[in-house]
Amino acid sequence: MIKQTAGRDSLGEFAPEFAHYNDDILFGENWNSGGIDLKTRTIVTVTALMSSRITDSSLGYHLKNAKNAGVTREEIAALITHAAFYVGWPKGWAAFNMAKEIWTETESSDMNDDMARHASEMIFPIGAPNDAFSQYFTGKSYLAPVSASQVGIFNVTFEPGCRNNWHIHHADEGGGQILICVAGRGYYQQWGKDAVEMKPGDCINIPVGVKHWHGAAPNEWFSHLAVEVPGKNTSNEWLERVSDEQYSSLQ
């Protein structure tokens, strides 16, 4: 249940009627009425404030409400990303700058110091252990869906030394993948070419039919957005591991 006293605390003497409407009507009645649950109300409110370009302490308050109502880092990241396409990209950045500080205080209890430090450097969540694809990785990776419709976008995080196997994206039409580094330092390598270092802001376009791998630098965490380019009859062919000899040549 939401209870509010900010109106009376700030304006009780100067504008008692406004304070009454704020504390008793808006938060006392509207926020606690039926129809939708509290978590949904917080999501609607955050979206409404973003669309109205209100990114001051009011948004911060309601982001904290959302967190307390059970909205996870993954959910708030997906919510802001989705809303930003409709209400404006700069508003998304402003909301993320606030949400990042609020949600950094959560799930970090299960992280070591280096992992938590890496998580604090990016606006996207680290996500859950990437167990479904662990057989194709050397070392531990994590996966956080950012967009699961229209265009698939996933934040993939690699612990130091982690890399995926050599692999090839296939498609009859379109297809391929785009990598955008969002935190840390890593590498991308095409078969027969030197590895390319990736730092925040770097973008790699991977066409179909190209054998390649990507992953973290030996002593640093690394996260990139993996954008699945839509296509016809797309598939992913997993191949051999990147050998220790191949990987150890990286700096």
Side-chain angles (χ1 to χ4, degrees), residues 209-238:
V210 173
K211 183 176 178 178
H212 65 283
W213 69 269
H214 34 103
N219 298 308
E220 296 186 44
W221 285 82
F222 173 59
S223 293
H224 66 57
L225 295 182
V227 182
E228 299 176 353
V229 180
K232 182 179 180 181
N233 295 327
T234 59
S235 63
N236 196 30
E237 180 184 2
W238 289 102

Side-chain angles (χ1 to χ4, degrees), residues 124-206:
F124 299 102
I126 283 181
N130 191 16
D131 295 335
F133 291 88
S134 60
Q135 61 183 314
Y136 305 121
F137 284 72
T138 299
K140 194 166 186 177
S141 65
Y142 301 82
L143 188 67
V146 176
S147 171
S149 62
Q150 295 182 300
V151 177
I153 304 175
F154 301 86
N155 188 35
V156 186
T157 296
F158 303 76
E159 69 177 2
C162 176
R163 65 272 190 188
N164 52 30
N165 291 8
W166 291 98
H167 57 287
I168 302 173
H169 302 292
H170 295 287
D172 293 342
E173 295 179 7
Q177 191 178 58
I178 301 170
L179 307 179
I180 303 171
C181 179
V182 293
R185 187 170 71 93
Y187 288 94
Y188 165 81
Q189 185 175 21
Q190 290 187 21
W191 184 261
K193 296 185 178 182
D194 292 337
V196 176
E197 185 181 50
M198 293 189 68
K199 293 183 177 180
D202 290 339
C203 178
I204 299 290
N205 294 85
I206 309 171

Side-chain angles (χ1 to χ4, degrees), residues 80 105 109 194 229:
I80 296 173
E105 303 168 2
S109 59
D194 292 337
V229 180

Side-chain angles (χ1 to χ4, degrees), residues 55-77:
T55 53
D56 57 11
S57 59
S58 296
L59 179 60
Y61 170 82
H62 286 287
L63 285 168
K64 290 179 180 177
N65 268 353
K67 172 185 155 186
N68 293 335
V71 176
T72 65
R73 285 179 57 172
E74 290 80 4
E75 289 172 330
I76 199 65

Side-chain angles (χ1 to χ4, degrees), residues 67 72-73 76 96-111 115-125:
K67 172 185 155 186
T72 65
R73 285 179 57 172
I76 199 65
F96 268 127
N97 286 334
M98 302 184 79
K100 177 181 170 182
E101 298 299 323
I102 293 168
W103 267 265
T104 296
E105 303 168 2
T106 64
E107 300 108 18
S108 60
S109 59
D110 294 329
M111 303 179 184
M115 185 178 182
R117 189 178 303 111
H118 179 76
S120 70
E121 292 175 355
M122 61 179 170
I123 60 176
F124 299 102

Side-chain angles (χ1 to χ4, degrees), residues 50 53 55 59 80 83-85 87-97:
M50 275 185 61
R53 199 176 290 180
T55 53
L59 179 60
I80 296 173
F85 278 99
V87 306
W89 209 245
K91 296 174 187 176
W93 272 107
F96 268 127
N97 286 334

